[in-house]
Amino acid sequence: MRCGACVGTCPVNAMFLDEYQVTVNEDCIDCKLCTRTCPVGALAMVEG
Amino acid sequence: MAEVMEFDMVVVGAGPGGSMTARDAARAGLDVLMIEKRQEIGTPVRCGEGIAKIWLDEVGIEPDSKWIALEVSGARIVAPNGQYVDLTEELAGNETGFVVHRDIFDRSLAEEAVRAGAKTMLKCSATSVIKDDRGFVVGVRAKQWGKEYELRAPVIIGADGFESQVGRWAGIDTKVKAKDVNTCLQYELVGIDIDKFYNEFHIGSMAPGGYVWIFNKSEDSANVGIGVNLGMVKQPGEVKQYLDRFIARQPRLSKGQNVETVAGAVSVGLPLESVTTDGLMLVGDAARMIDPLTGGGVSNACISGQVAARVAKEAHEAGDFSRAFFQRYEQGWRAKIEDQLYRNYIAKEKLLELSDDTINKIIDALQGYRIERITTADILRMVQERYPEIMNELADLL
């Protein structure tokens, strides 16, 4: 959806939205809040 | 090598808050640039599109048939058991009145800003803020069509919405707790049965910590959406499941077809303690000025934008762009909207606790009253008469 909801809730500001995709940088702390924020369940954490 | 451009004010984000700030600052004679990361203003829409009428006059927006989809008479508050009360416009006040086409509305405000003299750069993403050696924000770095810019101005306006980066880059703590976020999904359904004079608000466990809205766009179409408190979301994708379930249970809705899906998050917490720093003011959703009860943000964005524009002009006259000077903005916007934000925050927190049974009883207790002007005390009195046993739950509202 590229709605930016996850970007706004990320507690460590590790997510970014550009025209095509959401990107996550190395600051990610694996809290998985973004996966719950996404209203349509489009985000998943990949192990490793 | 970045190209350096200089202005009196740079506004990041061309939503209603940004456009209002740009418009009023340009009218006051400032040289204003408004940048927008998307290639067009107003899309994609991320909004239920229900707005009140009462504030439009205050900020100098003339209702225009080109962005009004429908005028409604009031709000229908629907309990989990389907029983409802209708609140007329005077009472529902805040977020009912017009259902608008937000894309056209936003574009129209931006056009007003341009006609007042503001410049725009579209498809232009801010990438960081520029600070001087005193730590004042004095510009933003941005990219457009692969080219880098340094857009410099003594006043920067962060109007970049809920996922505001500008505030964070500048060092304002805009972190929001999960319990202060509602995550939302909406379909525009066409071919449904609605009472076009009433926007519906469904409260209860069908939308934990939030509500389901049906905001009418025409005789047979509406934005049907849901907001769920993030603290109550357990599994990825749950919000969509709640909305789909709500629609599936009502044949009048499930017979419709979706023509637009909208998603997003809104803050439902208390306003930030500070929305300014040296050289920077945040307006609207970026400043967390969304109404915690309704999730509405457009009116407060416009109101705050207007105050920010005035203070920016005064700052230029005084030659003072410090956070201390920007207290004028803090005081100005808080005087206009902070009381309501606090009141509705308390009301929202209360609503979170109520069971479906209690909500059913409250709505039932209000049957037969024509509700135009009503206070919390009136509601409690009616509940006391019919359902004294649930008064304990409501006692702290007194």
Side-chain angles (χ1 to χ4, degrees), chain B residues 138-390:
Chain B
V138 292
V140 293
R141 293 183 190 85
K143 245 185 182 172
Q144 185 196 44
W145 305 115
K147 186 170 160 47
E148 290 180 14
Y149 292 88
E150 284 189 18
L151 307 170
R152 292 180 169 268
V155 182
I156 304 298
I157 301 293
D160 51 339
F162 174 75
E163 68 266 33
S164 173
Q165 299 287 342
V166 173
R168 296 186 187 196
W169 290 329
I172 296 175
D173 185 8
T174 59
K175 281 193 192 69
V176 50
K177 297 188 188 91
K179 77 168 194 60
D180 287 337
V181 175
N182 276 21
T183 171
C184 304
L185 184 67
Q186 169 182 288
Y187 305 134
E188 183 175 343
L189 295 183
V190 178
I192 58 176
D193 291 335
I194 45 171
D195 176 350
K196 74 164 184 171
F197 295 108
Y198 285 92
N199 282 338
E200 296 178 26
F201 297 75
H202 295 252
I203 51 176
S205 60
M206 83 291 280
Y211 64 94
V212 172
W213 62 86
I214 302 177
F215 292 171
N216 310 324
K217 294 209 71 174
S218 75
E219 304 261 341
D220 74 341
S221 65
N223 291 329
V224 181
I226 192 170
V228 177
N229 191 274
L230 182 52
M232 299 180 172
V233 175
K234 304 287 177 253
Q235 297 292 328
E238 228 172 54
V239 177
K240 183 173 181 302
Q241 289 166 18
Y242 278 115
L243 180 60
D244 291 345
R245 209 176 300 147
F246 177 85
I247 292 168
R249 282 179 186 156
Q250 301 195 47
R252 68 180 181 119
L253 300 177
S254 60
K255 69 178 187 172
Q257 293 296 314
N258 180 21
V259 295
E260 183 170 358
T261 305
V262 174
V266 296
S267 55
V268 293
L270 290 168
L272 294 176
E273 280 178 25
S274 169
V275 301
T276 54
T277 186
D278 296 319
L280 175 77
M281 295 184 268
L282 301 179
V283 302
D285 292 9
R288 303 275 190 259
M289 292 176 189
I290 296 176
D291 185 308
L293 183 61
T294 65
V298 178
S299 57
N300 290 344
C302 291
I303 291 166
S304 63
Q306 201 169 39
V307 179
R310 175 174 59 75
V311 173
K313 170 68 174 173
E314 292 168 2
H316 271 278
E317 284 166 356
D320 184 349
F321 306 99
S322 66
R323 186 179 166 195
F325 192 90
F326 289 164
Q327 289 310 300
R328 294 184 187 201
Y329 170 59
E330 297 276 10
Q331 286 159 10
W333 76 260
R334 288 178 198 277
K336 285 173 186 282
I337 61 176
E338 191 173 40
D339 277 357
Q340 169 128 14
L341 291 177
Y342 271 88
R343 262 203 314 276
N344 283 358
Y345 177 78
I346 291 166
K348 188 258 318 185
E349 290 288 293
K350 187 72 232 174
L351 204 55
L352 286 178
E353 298 169 10
L354 300 182
S355 66
D356 282 0
D357 186 49
T358 300
I359 296 168
N360 288 338
K361 284 175 175 167
I362 293 171
I363 298 294
D364 186 56
L366 297 178
Q367 294 301 306
Y369 293 88
R370 178 166 162 69
I371 304 175
E372 282 170 346
R373 278 255 161 260
I374 198 173
T375 63
T376 310
D378 292 333
I379 295 177
L380 292 174
R381 188 168 41 74
M382 295 175 202
V383 172
Q384 172 105 50
E385 282 170 21
R386 294 285 296 273
Y387 295 104
E389 73 273 16
I390 62 169

Side-chain angles (χ1 to χ4, degrees), chain B residues 41-177:
Chain B
I41 290 166
T43 61
V45 172
R46 292 215 300 263
C47 183
E49 300 185 302
I51 66 168
K53 290 180 233 172
I54 41 171
W55 59 276
L56 291 169
D57 192 43
E58 180 189 340
V59 299
I61 298 175
E62 189 75 31
D64 188 333
S65 59
K66 74 181 180 213
W67 49 255
I68 297 170
L70 207 65
E71 190 168 352
V72 294
S73 312
R76 178 162 293 171
I77 312 299
V78 189
N81 65 5
Q83 206 170 21
Y84 60 80
V85 289
D86 287 338
L87 307 182
T88 55
E89 188 197 319
E90 297 77 41
L91 181 71
N94 222 15
E95 299 302 325
T96 190
F98 292 128
V99 182
V100 302
H101 302 293
R102 263 298 298 278
D103 47 351
I104 306 173
F105 179 82
D106 285 23
R107 181 80 66 93
S108 154
L109 291 190
E111 286 171 6
E112 281 193 42
V114 170
R115 292 199 181 98
K119 303 177 178 91
T120 63
M121 285 173 76
L122 303 188
K123 217 171 164 56
C124 179
S125 292
T127 54
S128 62
V129 297
I130 303 166
K131 289 188 176 182
D132 69 6
D133 46 18
R134 299 169 303 165
F136 277 52
V137 176
V138 292
V140 293
R141 293 183 190 85
K143 245 185 182 172
Q144 185 196 44
W145 305 115
K147 186 170 160 47
E148 290 180 14
Y149 292 88
E150 284 189 18
L151 307 170
R152 292 180 169 268
V155 182
I156 304 298
I157 301 293
D160 51 339
F162 174 75
E163 68 266 33
S164 173
Q165 299 287 342
V166 173
R168 296 186 187 196
W169 290 329
I172 296 175
D173 185 8
T174 59
K175 281 193 192 69
V176 50
K177 297 188 188 91

Side-chain angles (χ1 to χ4, degrees), chain A residues 5-47:
Chain A
C6 51
V7 177
T9 54
C10 177
V12 294
N13 201 18
M15 302 188 80
F16 302 88
L17 180 70
D18 69 19
E19 200 173 341
Y20 305 104
Q21 60 186 346
V22 172
T23 52
V24 182
N25 74 11
E26 66 281 5
D27 292 338
C28 174
I29 55 170
D30 290 345
C31 75
K32 299 185 175 63
L33 185 62
C34 54
T35 68
R36 289 196 291 127
T37 301
C38 179
V40 294
L43 294 175
M45 298 291 289
V46 179
E47 295 300 320

Side-chain angles (χ1 to χ4, degrees), chain B residues 16-38:
Chain B
S19 285
M20 284 295 296
T21 316
R23 183 195 76 175
D24 281 21
R27 282 181 184 170
L30 299 188
D31 182 20
V32 179
L33 172 71
M34 176 165 70
I35 69 171
E36 167 58 47
K37 72 179 171 189
R38 302 185 190 281

